[in-house]
Amino acid sequence: MKKYFLLLIFTIFISVNINADDFGTKDEAENMLERSVNILKLDRPLALELFAEGEGGFKYKDLYPFCYHISSGTMYSHPVFTGLSREKSISEGVNVADLIINNDSEGKINSVSIKIARLTTSDKKVYDKTLLVTKVDDLACAVGFYKK
């Protein structure tokens, strides 16, 4: 039954070929984070694999979910930086891992702001980015959207 439910989720949220240079919106980021939490609760290993690969609708425009393991600070499931350590998770002088981990809350979405390039695009300009952050078990997870 669980596999059929997951198949239904993937069928509904199959990625549409959308230009990654498009900016995702706050509403789209909130929706993706909610879907990310739901699939993490159903099948964590599969969810982390899908996030890292951007499959099942978990890469849309410039939006993608990623998680940090709270106790180790290791980044899980990022399309570019899976395995990045807490010590190397720096953007514009801010430790992003610590910022996310210190602002996670189970069952609640918090937001934090950073400055960073759009890592999954060819656009290397630094933008303001809002990260929507939540906690799922021992993971601090986020989906961020950029301000144009």
Side-chain angles (χ1 to χ4, degrees), residues 71-132:
S71 62
S72 71
T74 301
M75 185 183 288
Y76 289 0
S77 69
H78 190 280
V80 178
F81 293 118
T82 296
L84 188 71
S85 69
R86 170 183 269 135
E87 296 77 26
K88 294 186 178 185
S89 185
I90 308 293
S91 177
E92 299 288 306
V94 174
N95 186 301
V96 178
D98 288 342
L99 188 64
I100 291 171
I101 291 168
N102 292 334
N103 286 283
D104 68 358
S105 183
E106 191 118 20
K108 183 178 175 187
I109 296 175
N110 296 317
S111 62
V112 296
S113 297
I114 62 172
K115 291 185 179 295
I116 194 165
R118 296 172 66 215
L119 301 171
T120 59
T121 71
S122 59
D123 186 355
K124 300 306 175 200
K125 178 181 171 191
V126 173
Y127 291 88
D128 290 324
K129 183 175 187 177
T130 300
L131 299 172
L132 304 176

Side-chain angles (χ1 to χ4, degrees), residues 5 9 25 47-48 53 56 68 83 101 108 132:
F5 183 70
I9 290 173
T25 67
L48 294 173
E53 294 175 1
Y68 283 95
I101 291 168
K108 183 178 175 187
L132 304 176

